Amino acid sequence: MLSHDVPTQPEYPIIEERFRLRPVQEGDVAAINSYRSIPEVVRYLPHPAQSLADTQNTVDRMVTEAGLPRPGTWLDLAVVHPGTGALLGEVLLKWDAEEPDSGEVGFVFHPSVHGTGLPTLAVNRVLRIGFEDLGWRRIIGIADARNTRSGALMRRLGMRQEAQHLEAVECKGEYCTMDEFAMLSREWLARSAQEGPRD
């Protein structure tokens, strides 16, 4: 996708055995705030622990950008429990403002699902959206170097660490070192071919 045409997204909800994916909705504010208000969850995110009003503002932006209307916007997908409908976290894709055939992946999850394998499955599914549905050539992921859990997740999915930017970003009163990971569409396709056909 070399143009600035608005990309076509898959039909939602996306149904997987352990979760569902759908765009974040206005009614998700309380559920998202339940984990974005926890200091440990947002320790390595750009923003501090959120008040309910902060999360409302965040969700308003998410809903506005849900269709990826232009480069530089984010697609924020809720990760939902298939049985209870509980919101377990978010997986995000950002359409690169300078390279319209590329994007960035992000993610944040409720502590209750840490260590269950579900975050890895959900991020893998959103990479598939980026490469196979949106047609991106390259997807990066950026994490605070101290956030070893996020770095390990991206490595498990086959993303390569391409750089470490020392004290590159001022975050919450200190300069933070950021690790940058990446995957190319051809690498995604090669990995998918090794894994075999999907349902």
PDB file of all heavy atoms in Angstrom, residues 18 113-122 156:
ATOM      1  N   ARG A  18      -9.824 -18.044  22.167  1.00  0.00           N
ATOM      2  CA  ARG A  18      -9.662 -17.508  23.523  1.00  0.00           C
ATOM      3  C   ARG A  18     -10.057 -16.041  23.670  1.00  0.00           C
ATOM      4  O   ARG A  18     -10.036 -15.511  24.785  1.00  0.00           O
ATOM      5  CB  ARG A  18      -8.203 -17.689  23.970  1.00  0.00           C
ATOM      6  CG  ARG A  18      -7.804 -19.152  24.148  1.00  0.00           C
ATOM      7  CD  ARG A  18      -6.393 -19.261  24.677  1.00  0.00           C
ATOM      8  NE  ARG A  18      -6.228 -18.581  25.972  1.00  0.00           N
ATOM      9  CZ  ARG A  18      -5.052 -18.431  26.569  1.00  0.00           C
ATOM     10  NH1 ARG A  18      -3.946 -18.900  25.998  1.00  0.00           N
ATOM     11  NH2 ARG A  18      -4.974 -17.794  27.731  1.00  0.00           N
ATOM     12  N   VAL A 113      -4.478 -11.155  32.993  1.00  0.00           N
ATOM     13  CA  VAL A 113      -4.135 -12.048  31.882  1.00  0.00           C
ATOM     14  C   VAL A 113      -2.634 -12.141  31.649  1.00  0.00           C
ATOM     15  O   VAL A 113      -2.193 -12.867  30.750  1.00  0.00           O
ATOM     16  CB  VAL A 113      -4.855 -11.636  30.575  1.00  0.00           C
ATOM     17  CG1 VAL A 113      -6.349 -11.695  30.748  1.00  0.00           C
ATOM     18  CG2 VAL A 113      -4.413 -10.260  30.102  1.00  0.00           C
ATOM     19  N   HIS A 114      -1.841 -11.425  32.446  1.00  0.00           N
ATOM     20  CA  HIS A 114      -0.388 -11.544  32.312  1.00  0.00           C
ATOM     21  C   HIS A 114       0.038 -12.982  32.609  1.00  0.00           C
ATOM     22  O   HIS A 114      -0.428 -13.604  33.562  1.00  0.00           O
ATOM     23  CB  HIS A 114       0.323 -10.590  33.266  1.00  0.00           C
ATOM     24  CG  HIS A 114       0.166  -9.151  32.896  1.00  0.00           C
ATOM     25  ND1 HIS A 114       0.593  -8.128  33.705  1.00  0.00           N
ATOM     26  CD2 HIS A 114      -0.368  -8.564  31.791  1.00  0.00           C
ATOM     27  CE1 HIS A 114       0.321  -6.964  33.130  1.00  0.00           C
ATOM     28  NE2 HIS A 114      -0.269  -7.208  31.968  1.00  0.00           N
ATOM     29  N   GLY A 115       0.913 -13.513  31.775  1.00  0.00           N
ATOM     30  CA  GLY A 115       1.415 -14.861  31.992  1.00  0.00           C
ATOM     31  C   GLY A 115       0.517 -15.982  31.508  1.00  0.00           C
ATOM     32  O   GLY A 115       0.848 -17.152  31.691  1.00  0.00           O
ATOM     33  N   THR A 116      -0.606 -15.634  30.863  1.00  0.00           N
ATOM     34  CA  THR A 116      -1.536 -16.665  30.397  1.00  0.00           C
ATOM     35  C   THR A 116      -1.320 -17.058  28.937  1.00  0.00           C
ATOM     36  O   THR A 116      -1.930 -18.009  28.460  1.00  0.00           O
ATOM     37  CB  THR A 116      -2.992 -16.173  30.530  1.00  0.00           C
ATOM     38  OG1 THR A 116      -3.191 -15.067  29.624  1.00  0.00           O
ATOM     39  CG2 THR A 116      -3.287 -15.737  31.959  1.00  0.00           C
ATOM     40  N   GLY A 117      -0.489 -16.311  28.209  1.00  0.00           N
ATOM     41  CA  GLY A 117      -0.307 -16.556  26.781  1.00  0.00           C
ATOM     42  C   GLY A 117      -1.279 -15.793  25.909  1.00  0.00           C
ATOM     43  O   GLY A 117      -1.065 -15.665  24.709  1.00  0.00           O
ATOM     44  N   LEU A 118      -2.354 -15.284  26.510  1.00  0.00           N
ATOM     45  CA  LEU A 118      -3.352 -14.559  25.710  1.00  0.00           C
ATOM     46  C   LEU A 118      -2.787 -13.285  25.083  1.00  0.00           C
ATOM     47  O   LEU A 118      -3.083 -13.004  23.914  1.00  0.00           O
ATOM     48  CB  LEU A 118      -4.583 -14.257  26.555  1.00  0.00           C
ATOM     49  CG  LEU A 118      -5.757 -13.642  25.792  1.00  0.00           C
ATOM     50  CD1 LEU A 118      -7.075 -14.206  26.275  1.00  0.00           C
ATOM     51  CD2 LEU A 118      -5.776 -12.121  25.922  1.00  0.00           C
ATOM     52  N   PRO A 119      -1.979 -12.478  25.799  1.00  0.00           N
ATOM     53  CA  PRO A 119      -1.422 -11.294  25.132  1.00  0.00           C
ATOM     54  C   PRO A 119      -0.635 -11.629  23.867  1.00  0.00           C
ATOM     55  O   PRO A 119      -0.766 -10.944  22.850  1.00  0.00           O
ATOM     56  CB  PRO A 119      -0.534 -10.679  26.211  1.00  0.00           C
ATOM     57  CG  PRO A 119      -1.211 -11.053  27.490  1.00  0.00           C
ATOM     58  CD  PRO A 119      -1.675 -12.471  27.248  1.00  0.00           C
ATOM     59  N   THR A 120       0.154 -12.689  23.906  1.00  0.00           N
ATOM     60  CA  THR A 120       0.923 -13.071  22.721  1.00  0.00           C
ATOM     61  C   THR A 120      -0.006 -13.433  21.568  1.00  0.00           C
ATOM     62  O   THR A 120       0.208 -13.021  20.420  1.00  0.00           O
ATOM     63  CB  THR A 120       1.844 -14.258  23.048  1.00  0.00           C
ATOM     64  OG1 THR A 120       2.728 -13.878  24.119  1.00  0.00           O
ATOM     65  CG2 THR A 120       2.676 -14.654  21.838  1.00  0.00           C
ATOM     66  N   LEU A 121      -1.058 -14.180  21.840  1.00  0.00           N
ATOM     67  CA  LEU A 121      -2.007 -14.561  20.800  1.00  0.00           C
ATOM     68  C   LEU A 121      -2.702 -13.333  20.218  1.00  0.00           C
ATOM     69  O   LEU A 121      -2.900 -13.237  18.997  1.00  0.00           O
ATOM     70  CB  LEU A 121      -3.054 -15.521  21.371  1.00  0.00           C
ATOM     71  CG  LEU A 121      -2.562 -16.907  21.788  1.00  0.00           C
ATOM     72  CD1 LEU A 121      -3.679 -17.664  22.510  1.00  0.00           C
ATOM     73  CD2 LEU A 121      -2.060 -17.696  20.582  1.00  0.00           C
ATOM     74  N   ALA A 122      -3.083 -12.397  21.075  1.00  0.00           N
ATOM     75  CA  ALA A 122      -3.804 -11.216  20.603  1.00  0.00           C
ATOM     76  C   ALA A 122      -2.908 -10.308  19.767  1.00  0.00           C
ATOM     77  O   ALA A 122      -3.335  -9.772  18.731  1.00  0.00           O
ATOM     78  CB  ALA A 122      -4.383 -10.448  21.784  1.00  0.00           C
ATOM     79  N   ARG A 156       9.072 -13.322  20.853  1.00  0.00           N
ATOM     80  CA  ARG A 156       8.361 -14.598  20.648  1.00  0.00           C
ATOM     81  C   ARG A 156       7.612 -14.610  19.322  1.00  0.00           C
ATOM     82  O   ARG A 156       7.434 -15.671  18.710  1.00  0.00           O
ATOM     83  CB  ARG A 156       7.370 -14.848  21.793  1.00  0.00           C
ATOM     84  CG  ARG A 156       7.992 -15.340  23.070  1.00  0.00           C
ATOM     85  CD  ARG A 156       6.958 -15.930  24.012  1.00  0.00           C
ATOM     86  NE  ARG A 156       5.949 -14.981  24.431  1.00  0.00           N
ATOM     87  CZ  ARG A 156       6.080 -14.143  25.460  1.00  0.00           C
ATOM     88  NH1 ARG A 156       7.199 -14.117  26.172  1.00  0.00           N
ATOM     89  NH2 ARG A 156       5.097 -13.320  25.793  1.00  0.00           N
TER      90      ARG A 156
END
